[in-house]
Amino acid sequence: MNAADAPLHAALSVRPYREADREAWERFVATAPEASFFHRIEWRAILQDVFRHRTHYLVATRGPELVGVLPLAEVRSRLFGHSLVSLPFAVYGGAVATDDATIAALHGAAVELARSLGVSHLELRNRIAREPAWPRQDLYVTFRKPILPEVEANLSAIPRKQRAMVRKSIGRGLASEIDRDATRFFALYADNQHRHGTPPHARRYFDALLAHFGADAEVLTVLDPQGQPVSGVLSFYWRDEVLPYYAGDLTAARDLAANDFKYWELMRRACERGLKVFDYGRSKRDTGSFDFKKNWGFEPAPLAYEYQLLTRDSLPQNNPANPRYRLMIDTWRRLPRPVANALGPHLVRHLG
């Protein structure tokens, strides 16, 4: 019997995750329609080992069957306070379950856990609204689009101006390669982060992603006509989807249209692999990233980030619109890059 067949009359209970649950968790997430790549159990070890965040994963059971999961992590931030989040550094999170009653039970357990931990708020990064009465952050959207079966059909589906940029990039002698490690990617990523005034993750975070997720995490590097790396993207693969998630480039990438080439190459390769969905990820409204993705013909879909406010009166603003964040960005751009790379991981772990 699988989770979907668990009798509804059996007692429903919610408890903390145990290591003995690993196989059942993996099996449930692999088949649950609303699960995402960020519900995979490997994130638990990454959050604990790389970021030193306490995790509080919850499982719901009916009798012997696992029927719901809710991954949570506790974040203590000097900038933004003490919170319980599903899930830090993830676009999507929240509870996944076989029925609404189980969702409600997981949410209730999460609120009680948040109170017992003394956090200021609980944040669930849902793709769809689950709790209409809870405050909601209307800041982020996601961009998802089907991948058509034929490569040329995908190119033709890109709006005219952006398609012209892709064709221009193809004609500039660029090439793409799949890397087995994060060496070239990290150099591009760290350079990009420094220019934008954003603390970088540690190199070991990307090493951990590649190690934990294996073939489901992949680095694509774009080379200029002289064979030098100018742009790169680390993508996740989930079921029949590709999710470009972390990216980096040099200033030279702009004149070469290397970013346009990078995402086209990722789409082309995904098409040839038979994948069905290109998930361009999360962007804040009214930003360059938002506009770039719309230019590719992707339509924004709002994300339902829902909150239970416990010891605070307003929604957290962990984004560049926050004056504290803006001050940090302005300061970070002036730091020498080796200093930024050394200090960045100590700060970025608090951002989530």
Side-chain angles (χ1 to χ4, degrees), residues 11 16 27 35 38 50 63 77 111-112 174 184 252 254 259 270 281 290 310 328 330 347:
R27 187 169 57 248
F38 304 99
V50 176
S77 170
V111 172
E112 290 306 309
L174 301 173
R184 297 196 296 186
R254 179 165 187 153
N259 285 329
F290 179 97
L310 301 173
M328 183 176 70
D330 293 340
L347 290 178

Side-chain angles (χ1 to χ4, degrees), residues 9-237:
H9 62 267
L12 174 64
S13 66
V14 177
R15 59 170 174 79
Y17 169 88
R18 299 189 289 256
E19 195 55 41
D21 297 318
R22 185 182 183 93
E23 184 178 342
W25 181 295
E26 291 176 333
R27 187 169 57 248
F28 179 80
V29 165
T31 57
E34 294 179 359
S36 73
F37 183 83
F38 304 99
H39 288 91
R40 289 184 55 166
I41 198 61
E42 290 91 342
W43 284 105
R44 182 171 177 266
I46 292 170
L47 289 166
Q48 292 175 161
D49 299 343
V50 176
F51 297 106
R52 303 190 307 280
H53 292 323
R54 289 180 62 196
T55 59
H56 302 274
Y57 278 38
L58 301 176
V59 299
T61 60
R62 275 198 178 92
E65 296 300 321
L66 190 153
V67 293
V69 300
L70 176 52
L72 292 157
E74 188 178 353
V75 179
R76 294 180 179 271
S77 170
R78 294 186 181 95
L79 284 172
F80 302 113
H82 185 194
S83 59
L84 187 64
V85 184
S86 181
L87 206 57
F89 309 108
V91 174
Y92 314 127
V96 177
T98 56
D99 58 88
D100 290 342
T102 304
I103 292 284
L106 286 164
H107 285 185
V111 172
E112 290 306 309
L113 174 62
R115 288 197 178 103
S116 71
L117 294 172
V119 302
S120 63
H121 65 277
L122 167 70
E123 176 182 348
L124 301 181
R125 298 181 178 179
N126 296 320
R127 281 179 55 187
I128 60 172
R130 291 288 194 185
E131 295 286 352
W134 290 18
R136 189 181 308 161
Q137 187 87 268
D138 186 29
L139 179 66
Y140 294 107
V141 300
T142 188
F143 292 85
R144 293 165 55 83
K145 188 177 180 182
I147 299 173
L148 302 174
E150 302 296 332
V151 170
E152 276 302 314
N154 287 287
L155 185 58
S156 297
I158 300 171
R160 181 177 56 82
K161 288 185 178 180
Q162 182 59 47
R163 185 168 67 249
M165 289 298 297
V166 172
R167 291 194 184 279
K168 187 180 294 186
S169 72
I170 293 171
R172 286 182 171 167
L174 301 173
S176 68
E177 294 180 351
I178 302 300
D179 287 355
R180 295 182 179 276
D181 63 42
T183 302
R184 297 196 296 186
F185 171 78
F186 183 75
L188 297 166
Y189 161 82
D191 185 88
N192 187 80
Q193 294 293 98
H194 187 257
R195 292 199 316 274
H196 287 86
T198 306
H201 286 290
R203 161 69 191 269
R204 72 188 189 99
Y205 172 50
F206 301 106
D207 292 338
L209 291 174
L210 296 175
H212 280 280
F213 294 116
D216 293 334
E218 183 181 83
V219 172
L220 182 147
T221 300
V222 173
L223 310 177
D224 69 12
Q226 289 72 47
Q228 296 302 307
V230 291
S231 190
V233 59
L234 191 156
S235 302
F236 300 135
Y237 291 90

